[in-house]
Amino acid sequence: MILRKIVLSNFRQFRDKQEIVFAPPGEKNVTVVHAENGFGKTALLNALHWGFWGKTTIDFSKPYSIITDHLATECSLRDTEASVEIWYSHQEEEFYLKRSLTLAQQRTDPKKTNIQLHKVVHGAVEQKPYKSSEYTIETHLPQAMGDMFFFNGENLDQLSLDKNAHQIKEAIFKVLGLELLESAELIAKDSVSVLSSELRKYSNDIGQSLIDNLVRCENELANLNTRKCELEKNLDAIEKDIKWIENELELNNESRLAQQRRRDIQRNIDSLVTHIADKEEEIGKFISSRGYYLFADDLVFAGRSAVQELERDGKIPAKFTSTVLQDIMDSGRCICSTDLNAHSECRQSIQLLIDAAADKSMDEAAQTIKSALSSLSAIDGYKDEFTELKDRYDELKRDRTQLENELNEVSRKIMQLDDEDAQNLEGQLEVKKEKGRECDREIANLCDPRIPGSIPNREKLRDSLNDQISAAEQSNDAAKRLSRQREATEHARKVMRDMINAEKEDLRTHLNNEISNEYSRIMLHDYKARLSSGFRLEVCKEIGSESQTVGLSTGQRQITSLVFIAALVKLARRRKEIPTIIKDLWGGDFPMVMDSPFGQLGDTYRGRIAKWLPTVAPQVVIFVSDSQWRGPVEESVEQKIGTEYILEYHAKELKSNASQKAVIRGNVFDQFIEDSEEFTKIRTI
Amino acid sequence: MDQKPSSKEIFISADDAVQKIIIKAVELERSKRGGEGKNPKSELLKHIKEIVS
């Protein structure tokens, strides 16, 4: 999917029709839009989100005022319309979409927008739109991918936090086409239901009861999965509300400092959560590999005493073993050449020795125990190691509790402020956080196999019922045929699920290679980034032969997230080369569109990232302020610029901290024009 | 440690009829995405009845 052009009409401060033509893939694949903060960068990013999916990003204020209040009062209700038109290509075909909203719609239900998607053939837009434009757009560029590829750099560090592992997983699923298999499995599931109800007509009471139980179980499972999806969506919505409330608290003069303090504490807690999870994993590994040592004290002591006693009694090592003496006896001749006749005295003496001698296997066993016990001498070391791990874990948990107490203190301070708005916001925040915790708990219960009625528990029951139905005797040929059809389809579902898991794991390995390669190109530290089996984005440092997770600064987290997105874009491009049993799974080219991607970075990394980005994505779009652009970014990216624009802001007065003029490669541009009305114009450079 | 089977190995080890159902289900889903009007559920059922006798 490659962006060709976007045209905005009355979308927020972009009045009339204004357009941006995107630089195509190739040598000069970068589109740069220069703008001061507050001039329209975030609105442009949101025009893309709104155009494709009818939604805006969390940091976009007044999301339901696409047509500005000013324009709304100026125009008549009937005529005013805002729209975003996007031209793009996908898998060698060209498309055109237009999303629009009238002022009347905005006033009644701003979520209801009009969308039409058309094919473009030989440069002309086909008259007939797609029947289901939303669905087709979602198959070209799912929203989960859009959130990943069209992003605000200032919030990017959030992606590398543990709690966003599901977002990473979903993006991988959608970008790399596994969703196709998942949807195909659902079609097979419907066929199983139809075949089951047909089979029921031929079945005896037991068979009917099994099928009824299966239908009930499938319905329960569907309800549980729907509930889980709802909870995950609720959780996302709650997270967004929390971010919005926190933004508002930061904008409020009275609560600003306390909110900033809370943000810092929260970042520290997020970092601690990662460390705690790592320690838990480390302790888990220790217990599964060496844990039994910790409980073996008494046994080791008893074993050592037993072996020492045998040694003291001269039983081990054995001077003679019964096997050696028996061999002598069997040969009929002693080692001193005496003939061992049946009733000879010598024979009787050897027989006595055999009865008294140690058994060979017992001797070997005693020696083995002795050597095993000597290897257990390291037990004290293991105990120390475990105690150290546990102490560190407890310490991290104590630190987290302390930070959580500090968070409560911040909350209490805000509630005591002499500001009603701040108090209300804080009250809402507490309610949202509690709701979030409730969602978390319910999701955990739904996924816990120990809980009767949980998803894994029902899945087990479903598989067992399916086996019983397949094994049941059928009365006639028609029933036998139906049973075979049902069994084959159910088996196909299971195979598809196994294939999805195998593909996912395979792609994680490929993605890890990309992440590792790209990370080493960017990072100056000797750190390695990887995606864990739980889809956590981790950064490690090699210490000897051990690999230890490291805590990152906000800037480093931003780089890590950026590398992950770039690796995903690269892997999507390589998707066709990766062997897969399902032909033509998705993948292909995707752009990276970034609002302020250099904000949290120092000069060194700004230059490195700017140089690196055009090499990883086929198409790069950057919205950047003058202060982020000047210096290393400009030097690194200027040879790659295909198209370049500046946002010219018209208003009564200039915003604080904004410059009236921008200097781009030595040329001076007006970026603020004093005007009685507020709007933004897109100017080509 | 045993290496887990790849999706290809999982697919190949399935019965012929199972393989055919999977291929058809994927093909139907892909057609749906391409805007073709066929109903994937009834089409797959028809296909299953043809191949598993």
Side-chain angles (χ1 to χ4, degrees), chain A residues 518-540:
Chain A
E518 297 307 323
Y519 207 64
S520 58
R521 282 176 66 190
I522 292 299
M523 262 295 180
L524 291 169
H525 294 84
D526 192 17
Y527 291 164
K528 292 193 186 321
R530 67 178 182 213
L531 205 55
S532 75
S533 55
F535 291 89
R536 268 169 53 200
L537 204 48
E538 294 176 340
V539 176
C540 306

Side-chain angles (χ1 to χ4, degrees), chain A residues 350-446:
Chain A
I350 291 174
Q351 188 55 54
L352 284 174
L353 277 174
I354 287 174
D355 295 342
D359 178 72
K360 186 186 176 195
S361 55
M362 196 279 261
D363 188 56
E364 279 172 1
Q367 293 299 345
T368 309
I369 288 171
K370 194 179 165 190
S371 113
L373 287 171
S374 75
S375 77
L376 285 174
S377 60
I379 196 162
D380 293 337
Y382 292 144
K383 266 187 161 177
D384 291 346
E385 198 181 327
F386 182 75
T387 311
E388 206 176 301
L389 267 177
K390 181 76 175 48
D391 286 350
R392 180 71 189 124
Y393 175 69
D394 291 341
E395 192 185 323
L396 288 169
K397 284 186 88 171
R398 270 197 303 278
D399 289 350
R400 187 176 68 179
T401 309
Q402 194 184 330
L403 288 172
E404 281 166 351
N405 290 339
E406 285 178 35
L407 271 188
N408 292 337
E409 185 57 24
V410 169
S411 177
R412 203 178 55 79
K413 271 188 184 161
I414 294 177
M415 285 308 262
Q416 285 173 353
L417 287 173
D418 190 18
D419 185 294
E420 210 175 308
D421 285 348
Q423 285 180 3
N424 283 340
L425 285 166
E426 189 60 27
Q428 289 174 35
L429 189 65
E430 282 310 306
V431 172
K432 293 283 174 195
K433 283 188 174 174
E434 184 48 39
K435 280 189 179 164
R437 285 190 285 268
E438 278 171 22
C439 285
D440 271 335
R441 279 194 291 271
E442 201 178 331
I443 292 172
N445 287 343
L446 282 173

Side-chain angles (χ1 to χ4, degrees), chain A residues 138-205:
Chain A
E138 186 66 20
T139 63
H140 291 171
L141 187 66
Q143 202 193 339
M145 278 163 63
D147 289 345
M148 201 62 72
F149 295 160
F150 302 173
F151 57 88
N152 180 345
E154 280 165 9
N155 300 331
L156 191 59
D157 63 302
Q158 299 286 314
L159 191 63
S160 60
L161 296 176
D162 278 6
K163 62 184 177 190
N164 292 325
H166 74 279
Q167 208 180 330
I168 289 180
K169 197 172 168 181
E170 194 184 347
I172 294 170
F173 229 65
K174 296 213 163 174
V175 174
L176 302 172
L178 296 182
E179 205 208 6
L180 182 73
L181 259 180
E182 208 176 38
S183 304
E185 193 232 318
L186 288 179
I187 302 176
K189 182 188 166 211
D190 288 333
S191 298
V192 175
S193 299
V194 176
L195 291 165
S196 296
S197 58
E198 283 181 24
L199 180 64
R200 192 184 182 283
K201 292 176 198 156
Y202 295 96
S203 302
N204 58 20
D205 287 351

Side-chain angles (χ1 to χ4, degrees), chain A residues 414-620:
Chain A
I414 294 177
M415 285 308 262
Q416 285 173 353
L417 287 173
D418 190 18
D419 185 294
E420 210 175 308
D421 285 348
Q423 285 180 3
N424 283 340
L425 285 166
E426 189 60 27
Q428 289 174 35
L429 189 65
E430 282 310 306
V431 172
K432 293 283 174 195
K433 283 188 174 174
E434 184 48 39
K435 280 189 179 164
R437 285 190 285 268
E438 278 171 22
C439 285
D440 271 335
R441 279 194 291 271
E442 201 178 331
I443 292 172
N445 287 343
L446 282 173
C447 300
D448 189 342
R450 294 166 303 177
I451 295 178
S454 66
I455 292 172
N457 197 289
R458 293 289 103 178
E459 282 172 344
K460 211 171 155 187
L461 177 64
R462 175 199 58 198
D463 292 344
S464 154
L465 286 166
N466 269 317
D467 290 345
Q468 290 176 60
I469 293 168
S470 299
E473 282 285 322
Q474 299 302 339
S475 52
N476 59 39
D477 285 350
K480 282 177 186 161
R481 195 166 48 246
L482 270 172
S483 178
R484 282 197 297 275
Q485 288 165 348
R486 207 199 71 88
E487 190 183 354
T489 316
E490 180 56 34
H491 193 189
R493 269 186 76 189
K494 191 177 173 309
V495 171
M496 279 193 264
R497 282 199 298 270
D498 291 345
M499 285 168 68
I500 291 169
N501 288 333
E503 290 265 342
K504 199 164 64 183
E505 201 44 40
D506 186 38
L507 287 173
R508 194 175 66 86
T509 312
H510 283 284
L511 195 54
N512 258 337
N513 292 339
E514 293 288 0
I515 291 173
S516 172
N517 289 342
E518 297 307 323
Y519 207 64
S520 58
R521 282 176 66 190
I522 292 299
M523 262 295 180
L524 291 169
H525 294 84
D526 192 17
Y527 291 164
K528 292 193 186 321
R530 67 178 182 213
L531 205 55
S532 75
S533 55
F535 291 89
R536 268 169 53 200
L537 204 48
E538 294 176 340
V539 176
C540 306
K541 189 167 63 177
E542 303 286 330
I543 301 173
S545 59
E546 298 274 306
S547 169
Q548 203 177 67
T549 321
V550 288
L552 299 175
S553 66
T554 308
Q556 286 169 332
R557 278 215 300 262
Q558 188 184 7
I559 295 170
T560 309
S561 304
L562 208 50
V563 166
F564 166 72
I565 295 173
L568 199 54
V569 170
K570 273 194 90 177
L571 191 61
R573 295 180 86 178
R574 278 187 47 220
R575 183 67 169 105
K576 280 188 180 147
E577 300 161 21
I578 299 168
T580 173
I581 193 65
I582 303 298
K583 281 190 300 174
D584 302 331
L585 275 186
W586 270 349
D589 288 341
F590 291 101
M592 280 175 83
V593 182
M594 295 158 277
D595 176 10
S596 309
F598 309 105
Q600 314 270 9
L601 310 174
D603 273 1
T604 315
Y605 279 117
R606 281 184 182 189
R608 287 175 83 89
I609 295 280
K611 202 169 182 176
W612 165 77
L613 278 171
T615 67
V616 283
Q619 185 180 43
V620 175

